[in-house]
Amino acid sequence: GQRFDLPRLLGKSTHHAAAVYAWQNGEGMDALLGQALADSGKVAEVGGALAELHGQSGSSLPELSASDLARQLPEHARVIAWLSPSCTDRAHTLAAHLAVRLRNAPTAAGALHGDFYAKQVLFDGTRLVFLDLDSASRGPGWVDLANFIAHLELDVIRERYPADTARAVSEALVEGYARVSPPGRDLDLSSPVAAALFAQAPHLFRSRVENWSEKLSRLLDRVSELAHTPGRVPRAHSAVAAVPTACAPQPTPAVQAESALADPDPAMPTLRSALDTVGMEARFRRMPGLSAELEGHTLVSAVVRRHKAGRRALIEYRFEADEGLGAFSWLGKVRAKSGRDWSDRVSRALRAAGLAEPSCVAVPEAMGTLSDLNLELQRRVAGDAVTRLLLWPEAPALAARCAEAISRLHASRVVVPRSHTVADEWRVLEERLERLETSHPHHASRVARLRRACAELAEAIPAAQPTLIHRDFYPDQVLVDGRRLWLLDLDFCTMGDPCVDHGNFLAHLTEWSLRTLGRADALRACEAAYREAALKSVGPGGAFRLEVYQTLSLARHVQLCTQFPERREWLPFLLELCEQRLSRPVRTLCC
């Protein structure tokens, strides 16, 4: 006989959008999960009953495809970003990664419950009842399985069950399902479970879970772990999942400042002083031109936003009005090396050349420097980093705007007393590839061939009229603030070939596409739009130089990915991509 029952419909009213069902006695599966339920075989019974439901055609039900679920992920990411701004970048990156995984998932379809988890299952003596089919649809069976397991994962994060219980229940469910489902069905559930868990993230806030923001960070850790660990049943939570990450809730400004003071960077002895709010406010008020702006405001916090040990730190200084509204922030960059006020001078020159409000392309206003602290100040500006917007339908048009924006910097006629030549570009790349040969001997022969091919390519680059260039231009260096684009981080500005910037931006698009979306050409529309806009400023003769610099930048990423643990798996893929680009004759690269 049939392994499950459904509540009996007594009546319905279309006018009132209501339905009435017969009362069902029994005990909810959710109430039994804390017991030794997996050993009783009842979970396996649920899995078998679910497989039987999926075996029905459901031809009259609305269709639900993997692509439909993938399209919902960016919206979930936006909600997570709104709830916890510090998680924004990570949420959008995970959404993009999971979207690709879901689109590649099996598509065999049957009847679905649509919102299947333990609370929707009732044990009534010897009968099994499925409740609440409001979301019933037709689609791939892994949707229900993944949703059930994702709810278990969420309950582990909420500390309702231990991880071992969740895994035991998941294994029993999938085992019971596999006994009844047609043979040969792919039950690799890690990515679908990751996507379903990602969709559950806002419930931590909505359900008023204690310490919800810390648990949201743990949830994203678990989503990332699941998305990169294929398996029939997701393995239990690792110890890593409980460690706070970069998107964990920030401590209060005072606590964060104190923590930095208590554990200073020995290579940056001025950092302690730069985080002293009382001392820094007094110094800011003595700086030329700043006393009027600070009138009626108090420096309330100094928070380290980024810290690269031994090199630099970025501090946000927040000022609040003594009466009423009017808060604002400055950003201060502290460096280990002294004598660097380069971005301050370049920023002032570019703003004087027209890259300032109300222009649609601008650089942030420099607020001054404190040489004894190796500190440069600038006004904090609003906007979204372009990287966050690369999956939006408007992304190709935005990419073209980025090319036009950096071309405005190139055309500014600002001149600085340093330069970056082809030889300099090659020297940087050669050093990185030589380090890669040494650190990864199993790739040494391929890297050596790559190095020789890149040397030949660099020698083929024709001379170009130097202009001011950014020299570290990529999507994260551009903020979108409505119609205005802000160009950030002018530390490396120098005189050089504009195609250095264009090639670097395109290389970052390709690398991000490969690493995040699983395909190097997934953002080809963005690349094409950017390239077309860039060529309008560099002219037809720049097409070859642009493509060469893109290839050299991609080759640099082969070594760069080894510096980040989460990117190391992409080394062979980037290496292969560079080999493919370099397999063509040099003069056909732009074709």
Side-chain angles (χ1 to χ4, degrees), residues 287-299:
M287 292 176 67
L290 298 187
S291 58
E293 179 166 355
L294 296 181
E295 177 119 14
H297 287 77
T298 300
L299 177 60

Side-chain angles (χ1 to χ4, degrees), residues 549-567:
Y549 279 117
Q550 181 180 358
T551 300
L552 296 180
S553 293
L554 276 172
R556 190 169 65 250
H557 275 288
V558 177
Q559 191 275 334
L560 275 173
C561 74
T562 66
Q563 298 178 203
F564 305 93
E566 70 277 11
R567 298 187 187 182

